Amino acid sequence: GDSVTQMEGPVTLSEEACLTINCTYTATGYPSLFWYVQYPGEGLQLLLKATKADDKGSNKGFEATYRKETTSFHLEKGSVQVSDSAVYFCALSDRAGGTSYGKLTFGQGTILTVHP
Amino acid sequence: GAGVSQTPSNKVTEKGKYVELRCDPISGHTALYWYRQSLGQGPEFLIYFQGTGAADDSGLPNDRFFAVRPEGSVSTLKIQRTERGDSAVYLCASSEWPGQGYEQYFGPGTRLTVT
């Protein structure tokens, strides 16, 4: 079955540091890949997505590239801010047999804390 | 506009009791999903509705769990004979249409605690 593995956390950084959160996946079909973010006290929200190999998703200074050869979708940001402190989830939505209805499979989440 | 809402936000119940969790999706969204998030874990899929019908209930853990969406809008997740292991945050999400290309919008969740 489908699965998503994220790097062990939590991650603690100083403001303006570089961020990488690793994500690898296993899928039987043709997945789309996502990063969701959960800010303190708020619900899950989509951060970025990529729908096919070599696509790059980007939003709010975050980027992730869909790497089919390494089955990875690592999240990166060049300079983090205190306001980026949140829990980040990598997820996939598979399309097996040509059909998909959007069911998401999530990784376990990575807690990011950014200090001033 | 209004997002996905879930009620109650918190529910504490005793082991063996019955609970209902409600989800109000974004108006006009045809697809509705339920997920369960245990402490320190990512959300896990429970059930998906397309309109009024449950198109995939493969994530429901056992027959104590049941969900309905009678008019194709509001959905209720029902748990019978609750167990302590059912304690988790139950998330609802909706999207305009089903499929990989449509963003799922999540509600704030219902935190269920079974004592």
Side-chain angles (χ1 to χ4, degrees):
Chain A
D2 299 340
S3 66
V4 176
T5 302
Q6 290 181 231
M7 64 184 292
E8 296 291 330
V11 175
T12 302
L13 296 173
S14 297
E15 205 165 25
E16 299 183 2
C18 294
L19 168 71
T20 299
I21 302 177
N22 290 333
C23 171
T24 57
Y25 67 90
T26 302
T28 54
Y30 306 94
S32 291
L33 302 174
F34 307 84
W35 278 98
Y36 279 80
V37 59
Q38 190 169 35
Y39 297 104
E42 299 185 16
L44 272 172
Q45 51 187 278
L46 179 65
L47 179 61
L48 54 83
K49 69 177 183 180
T51 58
K52 61 184 187 297
D54 300 325
D55 270 2
K56 178 185 284 188
S58 61
N59 186 26
K60 299 182 180 180
F62 291 89
E63 293 183 340
T65 300
Y66 188 142
R67 301 288 188 198
K68 188 176 180 181
E69 64 276 12
T70 55
T71 62
S72 65
F73 193 56
H74 306 321
L75 183 67
E76 299 177 324
K77 187 173 186 182
S79 176
V80 295
Q81 305 300 311
V82 172
S83 57
D84 294 327
S85 298
V87 185
Y88 292 82
F89 294 92
C90 186
L92 69 82
S93 176
D94 205 354
R95 184 175 73 245
T99 61
S100 167
Y101 56 82
K103 164 188 168 182
L104 292 167
T105 300
F106 287 87
Q108 71 270 36
T110 301
I111 300 171
L112 171 65
T113 303
V114 180
H115 293 296
Chain B
V4 177
S5 62
Q6 293 185 247
T7 54
S9 56
N10 281 283
K11 176 71 176 178
V12 181
T13 190
E14 293 181 349
K15 179 176 178 295
K17 298 292 187 183
Y18 168 83
V19 297
E20 289 189 352
L21 311 179
R22 177 187 169 107
C23 171
D24 280 86
I26 294 172
S27 177
H29 279 194
T30 64
L32 186 145
Y33 309 81
W34 283 97
Y35 297 86
R36 179 169 72 172
Q37 186 174 15
S38 300
L39 190 62
Q41 301 297 315
E44 294 180 312
F45 169 79
L46 295 177
I47 187 169
Y48 152 69
F49 286 90
Q50 173 57 24
T52 60
D56 182 356
D57 63 358
S58 62
L60 295 178
N62 51 60
D63 61 7
R64 294 187 298 105
F65 288 74
F66 188 71
V68 296
R69 194 186 185 199
E71 297 178 357
S73 178
V74 171
S75 177
T76 304
L77 179 66
K78 308 180 181 192
I79 310 174
Q80 298 177 321
R81 304 183 304 280
T82 52
E83 299 177 357
R84 292 193 180 88
D86 299 334
S87 296
V89 176
Y90 290 80
L91 298 171
C92 176
S94 71
S95 66
E96 187 178 0
W97 295 101
Q100 295 174 314
Y102 294 92
E103 180 176 349
Q104 290 185 31
Y105 296 84
F106 282 81
T110 293
R111 182 176 299 278
L112 175 66
T113 303
V114 181
T115 62

